[in-house]
Amino acid sequence: MLKKIIYSAVKGRMVVMIISLTLILFGFNTIKQAPLDVFPEFAPIKVEIQTEAPGLSTEETEHLISMPLEQALNGTPQLKTLRSKSVLGLSSVVLLFEEGTDLFQARQYVQERLGLVAGRLPVVAKPPVMMPPLSSLSRVLKVGVSSKTLSQMDISTLTMWTIRPRLMSIPGVANVAVWGQRDKQLQIVIDPDRLRASGITLQQVMLASSDAASIESGGFVDSPNQRIAVRYKNLTTKPEELANTVVDFKNGAPIRLGDIADIEIGEPPAIGDAVINHGDGLLLIVEKHPNANTILVTKNVEAALAELKPAIKELEIDSTIFRPATFIERAIDNLQNALVLGALLVALILMVFLRNKRAALISICAIPLSLLSAVLVLTALNVGMNTMVIAGLVIALGEVVDDAIIDVENIIRRLKLNQLLDAPKSKLNVIVSASLEVRSAVVYATMIVMVVFLPVFFLDGIAGAFFQPLAMAYLLAILASLIVALVVTPAISFMLLDVEHKEDDIAIVNWLQSRYSRLLDTILARPKKIFVAAAIAFTATGVGSFYLGSEFLPEFKETDFLMHFLERPGASIQQMKKMSMLASHDLLAIPGVRNFGAHIGRAEVADEVVGPNFTELWVSIDPDINYEETVSAIQKTMHGYSGIFTDVQTYLKERSKEVLSGTSSSIVVRLFGPDLAVLRERAELIKQTMQTVDGIADLKVEPQVLIPQIEIRLKQDAAKHYGINTNDIRKVTSMVLKGTKVGEVYEAQQKVDVVVIGAPESKSDIRAIQELPIDSAFGPQLRIKDVADVYFIGMPNEIKREAVSRRIDIVANAKNRDLGSVASEVESKVSAMTLPAGYYPQFLGEYSAQKATTQKLLGLTLLMIFAIVLIVYIDFKSHQHTLIFLASLPFALMGGVIGVFLSGGIISLGSMVGFIAVLGIAARNGILLISHYRHLIASEGYQFGLDAVKRGSQERLVPILMTALATSLALLPIIFKGPISGYEIEYPLAVVVVSGLLTSTILNLILLPSIFLKFGKIKT
């Protein structure tokens, strides 16, 4: 079969060349059009349901909305985790699904169940809203909108009716959340004293206002020829016109709305706010759909904003507060530069080491063909270009030329030997035979590399999402290189390699071979010393590995930073805005900080379910300034606000933590239990225990605390006497305190709500609420205090649930010590604590994810090693040679551990995948070296012994060195640049691969010949 393929390729070499050139051109065109992102999608399939319930307390929201929704949605097919969060007047239920679940099918499942329960929710609750589907890195742009001449209400009007609709029409945009929004309202501001003096009831005001602002059909009139619609022009957009609405008649005189209420243009009570640079404004957060191209969406949004400039010329637009596309462009550019530079260095090595310039050219051709073939397959599988895919291609660089090198080397050698024969064979037959001769070893070596990377495909969660595209790109490139060596290399060799061409002498090759020959003589004469030295080195490395620290994901070199500002629960929006303004002046005073944006509390239909005490600050810094110094200055500034919890993070790190545990911290102890008071008490005890751990930082208990709330309890006897129930009181307080919509009017295609609301003095304190008027069923107007007790009570600010149980988080980060050591000690100490029945902790966060990933990788690696041994045994059919091959694998691990020590002593997820990669390369070199020993003994008449081992080692010297050097040089640009943007995950991986290759190459060339000579003879 293989012979027929190679023979056909050489015979049809012109067709092979045309197909190869077409593939290269098509591949380059595909790369230009491929979607670019920093990382692949790493968040699980998520569906979020938000339900507004104005006026409900936190516990009422939990009992009346969150829990019924949980009960209805629990058991949804493929559901993995069910979480809920209840705050004052808002419920959020989040469903996380198993990997591989179809997003739209999951949403369909949820929608079906939601339809069944929605009708059973309280009347006060608005219909549950399913949030739009968002990607794992959903925020593509934060746009600051401000003005020196317009009010925040006017800015809101332009934003909501001009800017937001245009941005929502852009393909890939899922949502545009607006913080600081101040909608225009036509408000009827009532004063209880004026109502009481005029004898007008609240119900009369509501009825008159509703009639004035109602929108009803006027019907139609049919004439013999046409139907004519009847229109009632009773809608008013001016306060003075609405003020003339008649409410009632007293003594024959009309009482108008303006007589008993102030009619004015106002805005609803704020649920959030924003700060743009030093002042007021709106913050627009543009979010994208899953799999949408971040760079393309960003550019389209920026183009749309530029297009809208004539219509919004009074607004100042700052679209650089947070722009992840900048980091993506920088990261992709850095990796592409590393790929190009690595390819040039590999080509240089080939030109230096191959003793035939034409042979070097043939081998170089394998680079674009293999890499572009991999890109084409990935594109066909809907895998976009991201840093992980490019990293996989960079790692594969050195190996994609290896198959071609081995093939070309053997073809040259066979052509030379054929020339010395009395009856030389045809060039075609020699090339086909020479290719077949090495094909078995190369195929088995490639199979081993593929088996080595199989564990990566079984990883789940973030680890799998990050590294599966890398492994896929790497394996596809290796597989493509095998096909290129099988089809293209023999065809080009026939065209370029001339039997009569004189082989060039390369001084460095001759020098290396002569020195290696002398070294082999010394080593093979005293193998015991080498064995002892290797055993000592391996033992020392193994012991040293226990002292390595660990982390899951590194810090990303983004130039956009977010900082959480967390005040005590119950803090007002005004207080948080004051603190945000102060922070804006402090942060903008730091050299290199370009702009500032903050969003306080929450926005309508947004992904933040928080109270007014929560603020996110965002700054971007100049990429040309000293990164570490600027970040340090930002951290120092943020730690200067006493009484407020603050942290400094990058968006990528914060989002990965959020996906891992639902929080933005690295270490999470999640405590489950039924009673909130016991949960808070035990959480504080756990916090005190965690404080004793060295290296703990940013430690806090999730702020689920009691805050002052006003409770109104009906006086049953008085209420029955006057015919008043709880709902009557709720309607009054809801209308006065937050306003009740009674209708809407339109002006210039813009909708303006008409709202009845209480005057500021009627809702200033608890006494004002006690004095609110309420209409009785028997005529006299009462005060709320006549029929109800109004008093302060401590109520939870928020209640979180997961797996149908209440829970609270104790969270922290690690500082001045590696994450693994800190989290491991935390887990040990907390596990030793005694908790009441029904209460238990769960350990989440980066360390827990890394621990689970490491355990899974170790288990899969054992299976992988067994599979490798099986493949090698099938090829060698000798348990002795298989065991010798197995003994060569730890050579790579030694160097990898040394590399981790030299680069900081921390093993990350990238390092672990680096160990897998270098293990595959070392296995490939080992099997090729042993296969060549076996070939010399079996096919070229050599007896087992010193001559065969020396000859095989010397002939494999250049190909092994070239493979190691090519792979190392391909990764050197990443190592020399360090963990810059785009290299954060790839840098530790590259360090492990290069250092592992160094030791495995040296020990393969020095120790493996000694082992084979000592134990490789097969007894007959």
Side-chain angles (χ1 to χ4, degrees):
M1 177 71 178
L2 290 179
K3 183 176 181 180
K4 190 173 182 180
I5 292 173
I6 298 170
Y7 188 85
S8 300
V10 177
K11 290 285 286 183
R13 51 193 174 275
M14 293 309 298
V15 175
V16 170
M17 290 299 297
I18 292 171
I19 292 173
S20 299
L21 290 172
T22 303
L23 187 67
I24 290 173
L25 293 173
F26 189 58
F28 276 120
N29 186 58
T30 301
I31 288 175
K32 290 179 182 178
Q33 298 177 0
L36 296 175
D37 216 327
V38 61
F39 289 131
E41 287 291 334
F42 57 84
I45 297 299
K46 170 184 170 182
V47 179
E48 181 177 1
I49 310 297
Q50 286 190 10
T51 309
E52 294 271 3
L56 289 188
S57 69
T58 304
E59 283 191 311
E60 287 175 323
T61 303
E62 180 201 26
H63 288 300
L64 300 177
I65 299 176
S66 297
M67 290 179 67
L69 287 176
E70 282 182 16
Q71 292 165 5
L73 296 171
N74 195 24
T76 301
Q78 298 175 291
L79 178 66
K80 183 178 181 181
T81 304
L82 179 63
R83 296 173 181 160
S84 74
K85 182 177 182 180
S86 304
V87 297
L88 186 66
L90 178 66
S91 162
S92 168
V93 179
V94 174
L95 299 92
L96 303 178
F97 289 85
E98 299 283 353
E99 286 189 40
T101 303
D102 180 77
L103 171 62
F104 297 103
Q105 188 178 51
R107 292 175 68 84
Q108 180 65 33
Y109 288 148
V110 173
Q111 188 63 59
E112 288 170 359
R113 293 181 176 232
L114 202 58
L116 296 175
V117 73
R120 300 200 293 269
L121 297 178
V123 177
V124 68
K126 295 181 180 179
V129 175
M130 188 184 299
M131 301 295 285
L134 302 175
S135 69
S136 49
L137 298 172
S138 58
R139 297 183 173 184
V140 296
L141 211 62
K142 287 184 185 285
V143 183
V145 182
S146 57
S147 176
K148 294 177 180 177
T149 57
L150 300 179
S151 68
Q152 195 140 338
M153 184 186 295
D154 293 331
I155 298 173
S156 298
T157 300
L158 273 172
T159 298
M160 298 306 296
W161 294 98
T162 303
I163 299 176
R164 189 176 186 273
R166 176 67 183 88
L167 299 187
M168 286 295 296
S169 70
I170 295 172
V173 172
N175 189 32
V176 180
V178 182
W179 262 268
Q181 180 180 340
R182 298 290 184 268
D183 290 333
K184 182 179 180 180
Q185 287 184 343
L186 193 54
Q187 294 184 340
I188 302 166
V189 183
I190 58 173
D191 183 336
D193 293 333
R194 291 169 66 184
L195 284 179
R196 197 176 293 112
S198 63
I200 300 296
T201 66
L202 284 174
Q203 187 61 34
Q204 287 177 298
V205 174
M206 298 284 287
L207 182 62
S209 304
S210 179
D211 288 342
S214 64
I215 301 176
E216 296 290 342
S217 166
F220 53 85
V221 173
D222 282 330
S223 70
N225 298 319
Q226 62 182 345
R227 174 170 289 183
I228 304 170
V230 177
R231 175 187 176 191
Y232 291 92
K233 190 170 175 56
N234 64 340
L235 303 183
T236 176
T237 60
K238 296 179 180 180
E240 55 270 23
E241 293 178 1
L242 186 60
N244 287 325
T245 302
V246 176
V247 179
D248 199 1
F249 287 89
K250 297 287 183 180
N251 301 321
I255 297 178
R256 295 176 173 81
L257 273 179
D259 299 331
I260 55 174
D262 295 325
I263 316 300
E264 57 189 39
I265 300 296
E267 59 192 36
I271 59 173
D273 213 331
V275 176
I276 306 301
N277 293 320
H278 289 302
D280 294 332
L282 270 59
L283 188 66
L284 279 60
I285 300 183
V286 182
E287 299 173 301
K288 73 182 182 75
H289 284 294
N291 300 316
N293 186 337
T294 301
I295 292 179
L296 183 60
V297 171
T298 301
K299 289 182 177 178
N300 287 341
V301 168
E302 290 170 339
L305 291 173
E307 182 183 293
L308 288 173
K309 273 187 178 179
I312 55 173
K313 53 181 176 292
E314 291 183 274
L315 300 181
E316 295 179 5
I317 307 294
D318 185 354
S319 60
T320 61
I321 292 173
F322 172 63
R323 188 183 186 273
T326 303
F327 175 76
I328 295 170
E329 289 163 348
R330 192 184 307 123
I332 296 290
D333 188 51
N334 287 337
L335 274 172
Q336 286 177 341
N337 290 340
L339 184 63
V340 172
L341 183 56
L344 292 175
L345 290 172
V346 169
L348 180 63
I349 285 296
L350 293 177
M351 297 298 292
V352 170
F353 272 86
L354 284 176
R355 290 157 288 178
N356 187 315
K357 299 298 186 296
R358 298 186 182 187
L361 180 61
I362 295 168
S363 300
I364 290 169
C365 289
I367 296 176
L369 279 170
S370 302
L371 299 187
L372 291 173
S373 298
V375 170
L376 288 172
V377 175
L378 289 168
T379 304
L381 296 173
N382 293 320
V383 178
M385 296 296 293
N386 54 62
T387 56
M388 305 311 293
V389 168
I390 297 175
L393 298 178
V394 173
I395 298 169
L397 255 180
E399 290 188 74
V400 296
V401 296
D402 192 39
D403 289 347
I405 291 170
I406 295 168
D407 220 7
V408 171
E409 279 267 315
N410 207 48
I411 288 172
I412 291 173
R413 190 166 67 89
R414 285 303 177 189
L415 285 173
K416 183 178 178 181
L417 293 174
N418 183 62
Q419 203 173 8
L420 301 175
L421 294 176
D422 295 333
K425 299 177 183 178
S426 69
K427 184 179 178 181
L428 176 60
N429 287 333
V430 171
I431 289 175
V432 172
S433 299
S435 294
L436 282 172
E437 189 179 297
V438 295
R439 196 52 44 210
S440 173
V442 169
V443 168
Y444 279 110
T446 303
M447 285 175 63
I448 287 173
V449 170
M450 296 180 75
V451 168
V452 164
F453 262 90
L454 281 181
V456 178
F457 289 96
F458 290 95
L459 294 177
D460 51 16
I462 286 185
F466 270 48
F467 285 96
Q468 283 169 7
L470 181 147
M472 192 181 298
Y474 177 82
L475 291 183
L476 285 172
I478 298 299
L479 190 60
S481 73
L482 182 63
I483 297 171
V484 168
L486 192 68
V487 177
V488 181
T489 303
I492 303 178
S493 296
F494 187 88
M495 297 170 66
L496 296 183
L497 294 182
D498 191 349
V499 182
E500 302 298 328
H501 183 78
K502 185 180 178 182
E503 194 176 83
D504 297 328
D505 265 347
I506 305 297
I508 189 171
V509 172
N510 294 335
W511 183 84
L512 283 171
Q513 286 184 333
S514 64
R515 291 301 177 100
Y516 182 55
S517 177
R518 293 177 201 168
L519 183 62
L520 276 178
D521 289 335
T522 304
I523 291 168
L524 295 176
R526 302 177 184 84
K528 289 185 180 179
K529 291 183 179 180
I530 297 297
F531 294 160
V532 171
I536 293 171
F538 186 72
T539 303
T541 306
V543 172
S545 65
F546 289 102
Y547 294 93
L548 294 173
S550 62
E551 66 178 8
F552 189 64
L553 291 174
E555 297 295 333
F556 296 100
K557 300 290 185 179
E558 295 178 80
T559 52
D560 298 306
F561 294 88
L562 69 92
M563 292 139 285
H564 293 118
F565 234 27
L566 197 61
E567 247 291 17
R568 66 188 186 284
S572 67
I573 289 175
Q574 291 77 13
Q575 170 66 14
M576 294 307 296
K577 186 164 186 176
K578 179 181 176 183
M579 295 302 298
S580 299
M581 287 283 196
L582 179 61
S584 74
H585 286 84
D586 292 343
L587 288 168
L588 287 170
I590 298 172
V593 175
R594 297 187 301 188
N595 45 18
F596 173 93
H599 55 81
I600 303 161
R602 59 188 181 90
E604 294 180 5
V605 195
D607 59 351
E608 296 282 8
V609 182
V610 294
N613 64 312
F614 179 88
T615 298
E616 269 188 4
L617 315 176
W618 294 79
V619 297
S620 62
I621 64 174
D622 192 325
D624 297 325
I625 50 89
N626 186 295
Y627 187 86
E628 282 71 24
E629 286 183 6
T630 306
V631 173
S632 177
I634 291 172
Q635 291 172 333
K636 184 177 179 181
T637 300
M638 292 307 297
H639 290 154
Y641 301 100
S642 60
I644 299 180
F645 174 82
T646 61
D647 61 6
V648 179
Q649 301 193 54
T650 62
Y651 179 57
L652 291 174
K653 193 67 179 283
E654 193 261 357
R655 282 301 301 140
S656 62
K657 292 177 184 178
E658 184 77 26
V659 168
L660 287 171
S661 62
T663 75
S664 58
S665 297
S666 299
I667 303 168
V668 180
V669 179
R670 181 159 292 166
L671 183 62
F672 292 87
D675 188 87
L676 290 174
V678 178
L679 278 176
R680 288 192 292 268
E681 175 196 346
R682 293 293 166 174
E684 286 297 332
L685 292 176
I686 291 174
K687 177 186 174 184
Q688 292 171 18
T689 300
M690 292 172 64
Q691 279 177 333
T692 64
V693 177
D694 182 35
I696 208 81
D698 302 328
L699 176 63
K700 68 182 176 75
V701 176
E702 200 171 40
Q704 293 187 35
V705 298
L706 296 178
I707 60 173
Q709 291 187 13
I710 296 174
E711 182 167 279
I712 301 176
R713 181 174 293 178
L714 206 64
K715 297 176 181 177
Q716 295 297 333
D717 293 339
K720 287 179 183 177
H721 179 74
Y722 292 109
I724 293 173
N725 57 39
T726 303
N727 196 45
D728 294 329
I729 297 176
R730 189 190 297 274
K731 286 180 180 178
V732 172
T733 56
S734 176
M735 180 193 67
V736 173
L737 300 180
K738 72 177 185 63
T740 298
K741 179 181 174 181
V742 293
E744 54 193 31
V745 295
Y746 288 83
E747 56 179 10
Q749 303 182 41
Q750 297 173 11
K751 179 174 72 71
V752 178
D753 290 340
V754 179
V755 175
V756 178
I757 192 169
E761 55 271 16
S762 66
K763 49 185 176 180
S764 57
D765 55 26
I766 193 169
R767 293 178 185 175
I769 296 173
Q770 291 172 336
E771 295 293 329
L772 289 178
I774 184 168
D775 303 325
S776 73
F778 306 108
Q781 193 178 72
L782 307 170
R783 294 177 176 85
I784 285 181
K785 67 180 182 180
D786 298 329
V787 291
D789 294 317
V790 183
Y791 51 89
F792 284 109
I793 188 174
M795 296 287 284
N797 67 310
E798 64 180 26
I799 301 174
K800 291 186 177 180
R801 299 170 59 84
E802 186 170 321
V804 201
S805 172
R806 286 173 168 174
R807 55 92 164 170
I808 190 169
D809 287 347
I810 307 93
V811 300
N813 293 312
K815 187 176 182 181
N816 301 326
R817 191 179 171 198
D818 70 279
L819 174 64
S821 301
V822 175
S824 178
E825 190 174 341
V826 165
E827 188 171 329
S828 175
K829 289 190 174 184
V830 173
S831 298
M833 296 177 67
T834 302
L835 295 172
Y839 296 82
Y840 63 94
Q842 187 179 47
F843 301 96
L844 303 168
E846 288 187 76
Y847 172 70
S848 300
Q850 184 198 34
K851 187 178 176 182
T853 300
T854 303
Q855 290 173 347
K856 193 167 189 176
L857 269 179
L858 287 175
L860 291 168
T861 300
L862 292 176
L863 289 175
M864 172 261 291
I865 291 174
F866 175 76
I868 290 173
V869 170
L870 189 62
I871 292 171
V872 173
Y873 184 78
I874 291 171
D875 184 24
F876 289 168
K877 297 179 178 61
S878 164
H879 68 275
Q880 287 171 256
H881 292 176
T882 302
L883 289 174
I884 291 171
F885 161 78
L886 195 60
S888 69
L889 296 184
F891 301 165
L893 301 182
M894 290 171 57
V897 171
I898 293 169
V900 173
F901 266 114
L902 295 176
S903 60
I906 304 294
I907 290 184
S908 66
L909 191 58
S911 305
M912 289 189 287
V913 176
F915 278 111
I916 291 176
V918 76
L919 203 62
I921 300 169
R924 181 184 177 92
N925 285 339
I927 194 173
L928 289 174
L929 186 56
I930 296 172
S931 294
H932 197 55
Y933 294 152
R934 290 165 54 85
H935 171 75
L936 291 175
I937 295 168
S939 303
E940 298 199 15
Y942 278 84
Q943 294 294 317
F944 178 85
L946 183 62
D947 290 342
V949 172
K950 279 191 65 177
R951 172 72 183 273
S953 300
Q954 284 183 299
E955 288 184 351
R956 288 280 86 201
L957 172 67
V958 171
I960 287 176
L961 284 178
M962 286 173 65
T963 300
L965 277 171
T967 305
S968 299
L969 288 173
L971 295 172
L972 276 183
I974 293 177
I975 294 176
F976 282 143
K977 285 281 188 178
I980 61 173
S981 300
Y983 294 178
E984 296 94 341
I985 292 179
E986 290 76 8
Y987 173 74
L989 186 151
V991 168
V992 168
V993 171
V994 171
S995 54
L997 269 179
L998 181 64
T999 57
S1000 69
T1001 302
I1002 292 172
L1003 293 176
N1004 260 327
L1005 291 172
I1006 292 175
L1007 190 57
L1008 194 57
S1010 302
I1011 296 175
F1012 190 85
L1013 187 61
K1014 181 72 176 176
F1015 304 105
K1017 187 174 183 180
I1018 300 176
K1019 296 178 181 179
T1020 56

